[in-house]
Amino acid sequence: MRPLRDAQLGAFTFFASALPHDVCGSNGLPLTPNSIKILGRFQLLKTISHPRLCQYVDISRGKHERLVVVTEHYESSLNDFQKQVQTADYHHVIDGKVKLAKFGLYYMTDHGADVDFPIGYPSYLAPEVIAQGSVHPSDPSQGENPLPSGPKTDVWSLGVLLFELCAGRRLLQNIEISERLKFIITLGCIDDIVTVLAEEHGCLDAIRELPENVLTLLRKCLTFLPSRRPTPAELLVDPVFEGVSCLYAPFQQPVGLFSSSLRCAHLELPEDISQLCKGQNDDEEYLGERAIDEVYHLWCLAGGDLEKELTNKEIIQSKPPVCTLPNFLLEDGESFGQGRDRSFLLDDTTVTLSLCQLKNRLKDVAGEAYYPLLEDEQSSLSQSNSSNELSCTVTLPLIIRERDTEYQLIRIILFDRLLKAYPYKKNLVWKEARVDIPPLIRGLAWAALLGVEGDIQAKYDSIDKDTPIPTDRQIEVDIPRCHQYDELLSSPQGHRKFRRVLKAWVVSHPDLVYWQGLDSLCAPFLWLNFNNEALAYACMSAFIPKYLYNFFLKDNSHVIQEYLTVFSQMIAFHDPELSNHLNEIGFIPDLYAIPWFLTMFTHVFPLHKIFHLWDTLLLGNSSFPFCIGVAILQQLRDRLLANGFNECILLFSDLPEIDIERCVRESINLFCWTPKSATYRQHAQPPKAQGDSSTNGFGKAANYYSSDYQDMPKTDLSREPLALSDLKAEVSPRISAEDLIDLCELSVGGQTKRSKASKPKILAVDIRSIEDFGRGHISGSISIPYSTAFSPDGELVQCPATGTLQSFRGRVIVVISHAMKSAAMFATHLVKVNYPRVTTLDGGINKMKPTGLLTVPSPQI
């Protein structure tokens, strides 16, 4: 949206028509409230940006179908101008900087069908609008009759307005509304409408003094028959505009972030560049240079309350309930004696929203904070007079940071500048996203993290979303059940957009199929990009291959089973006690985790929790969802350990409240403790080509954790594919020889790179015989021969080596053997006695022999 500059924020309110409570739609579901319909249509108006239109900013829904609309607002109006002068210089009429406000009321209310008041002022209504009367497009009795209002009716209204400006007086102000409407209809019997109007209002001389080209323009606009009335496009070529049209440069819509056009093609620098370098005056309005929607967002954070503002101006008035009772009530419920509540009619008053509280909240923000430098990649926050306070804010819980006005201003400005430099500042976007993502620009930030680039609109437009396909029926069934608690997604516009985006994905991926849950997966992207279906589609298309590769195959059983088996191993790796209990009662992930991973938890959590969860998910690789799943189980740990199979089934049928911030923190901790190769899946996404758009920078991975193990170059030390039956037989995950070398910090010659004082990240447990261990082993490993390690009851036999093992409890333990079967069985025994973070070395000791990293003990003298 455009900068606020000298504009203000304004709000007006009205009521949508109430629907009967006992009526359902054809699908058996309750009717969608009219206020929800209006809210959905309103979103399109937010995308309309033009220098001659007041920007629509937001709409909120209150009680009893009340709606409050926030717009760009100016205190002075054309009505004020009319009061100041008797007649207007027609040059000023044409050349004045006029903006049209409230132009979207007709559209957002479905041409007036969703409200109980007429749209439009009687004096300005075109004859054909009055003649047709009240129109409800949803009424089947209307048939195919065209709507009376359109561009040509606006031309009539423009003619009335121009006549008033030229005559210096308002038309038809002193007569009843019904008489005004009759008068307008009777104008059809008159040849020269302009002259008759002038005679009726005593301004014939003023009208006759107008230049001929202005009179011609008025007569064109006030042509009674719509068929003979010109369109706005035809009016623009009228000679009256020849003298001024050259003064106005054609308006060009700003180029979006994801487009084939150059974003800098029409970049204009200030004429006096030196002004950019000078210190700004105290009176300089830095806030005015921010976008209108951004200022409104900050206004809300600073304590702004729309209903309170309207109540203070007596626009919203409360009435005691006793005053709303009828005087007479029949047994069948029919009531009499109720006066019509005029609050349900349209009050055209726009209340100015004071920015004083917001400006006072931001008074300590230095001017430099509004223009942060991006070249210094060491700084994560712009500096301000209150930088110490901001540094403290970073450590606060996310929910508090998102409500801190000053902090959000700094973060929004920084992300705004980084995204304008995308993809060249992609590394910095990743860096800052690890701190947090401002909710206002989360949609674009996610797109950048997913590596979306190119002309996404052209690609989306090229997809056939209209031809019927077999999936249409299932999509129609699923959408009315998907996050319908949300006002935006439950609106008819939301359903329509859902349908288009989902269908576009299905059509453009012929090798995949629509599975239930895909609608939930689409919901976060659609909500964040409600007015940009192409971006929602592009984000979804980038997200699924990364986190849900081949999950939507027609036969996806092998993919799902491998995924759930790796998840079971992750539970055993991080929480062996819980894993043992769940396995004993037979409560396997197949019973509860499929909806988790198939929808990436969107079927489990409401949208506001998904946003916080995915802010972190998008920074991790494709294995991060395993850690989220384990973190959820750990929040329910006590209840799961205390219950049997039936109780656990009931618990997951209605999942208890999950602390999502705690879930995110614990997921990150689990993720950092998990060796990358431990979550290897042969059905994961194949390695990306070098320089793929989803990599960070120019072919460079963002960091160790955001890149996938599958993307690393394959060597002889990498993990090998494993048959699903073999994978299921192992309780603990395998890790690759590469991970072992890295975590043990081994170097050629069998030496470790760590200092003597540092404790290793991992303990290698060699379960071969003493003789084999003596022939060569990994530096720092301990020898616990499998044949003598456990007692008959499964407990570890105490010895110096098992004492060392006990001291490393909680760190990663890797079991090494000749045969993988014995290593897997040893690891299973460790899990049974509740040892966490137990793994086995894929390929065993034989994988390490060619590396030259094995060490042989010095012979005893």
Side-chain angles (χ1 to χ4, degrees):
M1 290 186 181
R2 295 190 310 277
L4 181 67
R5 293 190 177 148
D6 59 341
Q8 294 175 302
L9 292 172
F12 67 92
T13 183
F14 62 92
F15 284 96
S17 302
L19 295 174
H21 298 290
D22 56 347
V23 178
C24 293
S26 57
N27 57 2
L29 298 174
L31 295 174
T32 303
N34 285 324
S35 56
I36 294 287
K37 296 178 183 178
I38 293 172
L39 183 142
R41 289 191 211 97
F42 175 86
Q43 305 307 313
L44 178 64
L45 298 174
K46 291 163 63 175
T47 67
I48 301 175
S49 181
H50 191 277
R52 292 290 172 261
L53 297 175
C54 284
Q55 180 75 54
Y56 279 101
V57 181
D58 192 29
I59 187 169
S60 67
R61 183 169 171 256
K63 295 180 180 179
H64 310 300
E65 295 292 86
R66 179 183 290 281
L67 291 157
V68 181
V69 177
V70 181
T71 69
E72 175 186 358
H73 178 58
Y74 297 86
E75 291 286 355
S76 59
S77 67
L78 196 58
N79 188 35
D80 299 327
F81 174 76
Q82 286 180 285
K83 293 176 181 178
Q84 291 173 6
V85 294
Q86 288 298 315
T87 58
D89 184 337
Y90 68 94
H91 285 294
H92 291 159
V93 173
I94 296 172
D95 197 33
K97 293 184 178 179
V98 179
K99 288 197 174 190
L100 186 63
K102 300 184 181 177
F103 56 88
L105 193 59
Y106 184 72
Y107 167 77
M108 75 172 84
T109 61
D110 193 18
H111 321 294
D114 295 337
V115 291
D116 291 330
F117 52 82
I119 305 295
Y121 294 98
S123 300
Y124 300 89
L125 293 177
E128 62 271 21
V129 176
I130 299 171
Q132 188 155 342
S134 179
V135 176
H136 288 262
S138 57
D139 184 358
S141 64
Q142 294 290 334
E144 298 298 324
N145 293 334
L147 292 169
S149 293
K152 287 194 173 184
T153 63
D154 292 337
V155 169
W156 174 279
S157 302
L158 173 65
V160 175
L161 188 61
L162 290 177
F163 184 94
E164 290 183 341
L165 289 170
C166 294
R169 64 195 65 194
R170 305 287 294 275
L171 296 187
L172 308 174
Q173 291 301 301
N174 299 321
I175 57 177
E176 294 291 332
I177 291 180
S178 59
E179 294 301 320
R180 293 187 214 178
L181 301 180
K182 289 178 184 178
F183 178 80
I184 295 172
I185 291 294
T186 59
L187 292 176
C189 305
I190 300 169
D191 294 330
D192 190 350
I193 293 177
V194 173
T195 301
V196 170
L197 287 176
E199 291 174 345
E200 286 286 334
H201 293 81
C203 55
L204 187 58
D205 292 339
I207 295 299
R208 283 176 174 172
E209 290 175 1
L210 293 174
E212 189 59 35
N213 57 355
V214 175
L215 274 172
T216 303
L217 176 67
L218 285 174
R219 290 190 173 101
K220 286 181 179 179
C221 292
L222 295 176
T223 301
F224 189 85
L225 292 176
S227 58
R228 297 181 182 178
R229 197 182 305 147
T231 63
E234 292 168 344
L235 278 184
L236 283 176
V237 297
D238 192 278
V240 75
F241 296 112
E242 288 180 356
V244 293
S245 59
C246 59
L247 303 177
Y248 293 89
F251 173 68
Q252 292 178 326
Q253 198 71 247
V255 178
L257 182 60
F258 304 103
S259 171
S260 60
S261 304
L262 285 174
R263 299 204 296 269
C264 59
H266 303 289
L267 183 64
E268 293 183 3
L269 292 175
E271 293 182 5
D272 188 359
I273 298 182
S274 63
Q275 293 297 322
L276 296 176
C277 306
K278 291 183 178 179
Q280 302 288 346
N281 298 326
D282 292 337
D283 297 332
E284 187 73 24
E285 278 286 351
Y286 294 106
L287 192 63
E289 293 304 311
R290 305 308 305 170
I292 297 175
D293 59 334
E294 183 182 315
V295 175
Y296 172 68
H297 177 71
L298 296 171
W299 179 84
C300 294
L301 293 179
D305 187 322
L306 290 175
E307 292 208 2
K308 183 179 178 182
E309 294 285 339
L310 292 167
T311 302
N312 289 341
K313 297 294 184 180
E314 298 185 347
I315 303 301
I316 295 179
Q317 297 181 358
S318 59
K319 181 183 289 188
V322 70
C323 296
T324 64
L325 295 175
N327 295 335
F328 188 65
L329 189 66
L330 297 180
E331 289 182 356
D332 60 1
E334 189 175 1
S335 60
F336 301 91
Q338 281 177 301
R340 184 174 184 182
D341 189 349
R342 299 194 63 81
S343 64
F344 286 91
L345 300 180
L346 177 64
D347 187 334
D348 196 35
T349 306
T350 299
V351 172
T352 302
L353 305 180
S354 174
L355 298 180
C356 293
Q357 188 171 343
L358 173 60
K359 291 178 180 178
N360 184 60
R361 185 72 179 83
L362 301 178
K363 66 177 188 281
D364 293 329
V365 179
E368 293 82 1
Y370 288 85
Y371 303 97
L373 296 176
L374 302 184
E375 294 305 318
D376 181 11
E377 299 197 2
Q378 299 302 314
S379 63
S380 61
L381 277 173
S382 305
Q383 298 298 311
S384 72
N385 291 341
S386 54
S387 57
N388 291 333
E389 182 183 341
L390 287 180
S391 300
C392 296
T393 306
V394 174
T395 63
L396 295 175
L398 181 61
I399 193 70
I400 296 177
R401 279 179 275 156
E402 289 189 347
R403 294 174 182 173
D404 186 290
T405 311
E406 185 177 3
Y407 181 80
Q408 283 303 304
L409 171 70
I410 299 299
R411 298 296 290 168
I412 289 170
I413 290 172
L414 181 58
F415 265 87
D416 181 52
R417 288 178 68 82
L418 289 174
L419 289 170
K420 285 177 179 174
Y422 176 83
Y424 305 105
K425 292 295 181 183
K426 192 184 293 187
N427 285 332
L428 277 177
V429 173
W430 276 81
K431 176 186 174 185
E432 293 301 332
R434 287 197 288 272
V435 178
D436 55 44
I437 297 176
L440 186 67
I441 51 178
R442 181 175 273 128
L444 290 177
W446 280 13
L449 295 178
L450 287 167
V452 174
E453 289 183 24
D455 191 354
I456 59 174
Q457 189 63 53
K459 181 176 181 180
Y460 184 70
D461 290 342
S462 67
I463 301 171
D464 180 7
K465 298 176 282 291
D466 300 317
T467 303
I469 58 175
T471 311
D472 289 348
R473 175 59 184 160
Q474 188 60 53
I475 292 175
E476 291 289 345
V477 171
D478 288 347
I479 288 174
R481 301 180 296 191
C482 180
H483 294 283
Q484 293 304 285
Y485 57 85
D486 182 79
E487 296 174 344
L488 204 55
L489 297 184
S490 65
S491 68
Q493 291 292 329
H495 287 194
R496 195 171 296 114
K497 290 175 180 289
F498 250 136
R499 195 178 304 115
R500 288 170 57 81
V501 173
L502 287 171
K503 191 166 180 177
W505 187 87
V506 172
V507 170
S508 60
H509 295 81
D511 53 326
L512 303 175
V513 298
Y514 179 88
W515 279 82
Q516 281 185 304
L518 195 63
D519 53 324
S520 296
L521 201 61
C522 174
F525 297 120
L526 181 59
W527 195 94
L528 291 173
N529 305 288
F530 196 79
N531 288 318
N532 193 340
E533 291 178 27
L535 187 54
Y537 163 81
C539 289
M540 183 175 168
S541 297
F543 181 92
I544 290 176
K546 180 176 181 180
Y547 296 101
L548 295 166
Y549 185 75
N550 278 348
F551 265 59
F552 296 97
L553 288 172
K554 187 172 184 179
D555 180 11
N556 62 357
S557 58
H558 58 293
V559 180
I560 296 286
Q561 285 302 309
E562 182 191 41
Y563 202 94
L564 294 177
T565 304
V566 174
F567 179 53
S568 294
Q569 293 181 347
M570 284 297 99
I571 301 172
F573 178 82
H574 290 291
D575 197 334
E577 183 183 3
L578 181 60
S579 173
N580 291 332
H581 174 71
L582 296 179
N583 288 334
E584 286 171 9
I585 65 175
F587 193 63
I588 58 176
D590 305 55
L591 300 174
Y592 62 88
I594 292 177
W596 289 8
F597 299 124
L598 193 64
T599 67
M600 276 299 122
F601 308 97
T602 55
H603 190 69
V604 184
F605 297 128
L607 284 172
H608 70 276
K609 290 188 175 184
I610 288 297
F611 293 148
H612 288 173
L613 188 64
W614 281 18
D615 280 350
T616 304
L617 172 66
L618 293 176
L619 296 170
N621 60 29
S622 62
S623 67
F624 191 78
F626 294 127
C627 301
I628 296 174
V630 175
I632 294 172
L633 291 177
Q634 289 187 332
Q635 281 202 37
L636 305 172
R637 189 175 191 274
D638 293 341
R639 298 174 69 173
L640 290 171
L641 289 174
N643 289 315
F645 179 84
N646 292 335
E647 292 82 5
C648 289
I649 288 287
L650 288 174
L651 182 67
F652 278 81
S653 64
D654 185 14
L655 195 68
E657 184 73 15
I658 297 294
D659 182 345
I660 207 69
E661 304 311 320
R662 176 184 163 192
C663 180
V664 169
R665 289 194 307 271
E666 293 178 354
S667 299
I668 294 172
N669 182 55
L670 296 169
F671 188 66
C672 293
W673 269 107
T674 306
K676 291 194 76 168
S677 59
T679 56
Y680 166 79
R681 293 179 297 115
Q682 61 176 313
H683 295 300
Q685 186 179 20
K688 305 180 186 71
Q690 185 71 12
D692 187 275
S693 63
S694 59
T695 57
N696 193 22
F698 300 95
K700 176 186 174 185
N703 57 40
Y704 175 82
Y705 291 110
S706 61
S707 59
D708 270 300
Y709 178 73
Q710 283 81 4
D711 292 335
M712 299 174 67
K714 293 293 178 276
T715 68
D716 292 338
L717 302 179
S718 301
R719 272 197 63 175
E720 299 293 338
L722 195 63
L724 182 60
S725 58
D726 294 335
L727 186 67
K728 286 187 171 185
E730 299 182 5
V731 172
S732 297
R734 299 185 181 192
I735 67 168
S736 66
E738 295 164 320
D739 263 349
L740 179 66
I741 294 169
D742 179 61
L743 293 170
C744 286
E745 299 178 341
L746 297 176
S747 60
V748 177
Q751 301 299 313
T752 59
K753 294 182 284 185
R754 60 180 178 274
S755 65
K756 291 182 179 179
S758 66
K759 195 170 185 179
K761 304 173 185 177
I762 192 170
L763 177 66
V765 179
D766 197 320
I767 65 169
R768 297 174 297 155
S769 65
I770 297 293
E771 293 77 15
D772 288 339
F773 183 80
R775 294 189 186 102
H777 59 268
I778 293 170
S779 177
S781 63
I782 62 173
S783 175
I784 305 180
Y786 182 30
S787 58
T788 60
F790 295 96
S791 64
D793 58 357
E795 295 295 326
L796 271 172
V797 175
Q798 294 302 311
C799 65
T802 56
T804 303
L805 178 62
Q806 178 64 32
S807 70
F808 273 80
R809 193 184 189 105
R811 291 182 174 266
V812 177
I813 296 170
V814 57
V815 181
I816 304 172
S817 178
H818 277 306
M820 286 306 303
K821 186 174 181 180
S822 58
M825 292 177 66
F826 188 95
T828 301
H829 280 295
L830 287 181
V831 171
K832 285 290 184 184
V833 293
N834 296 333
Y835 266 84
R837 299 181 180 136
V838 177
T839 65
T840 59
L841 177 63
D842 183 54
I845 196 69
N846 294 328
K847 270 284 182 84
M848 296 296 297
K849 288 180 179 178
T851 65
L853 295 176
L854 298 183
T855 183
V856 177
S858 301
Q860 299 294 326
I861 299 175

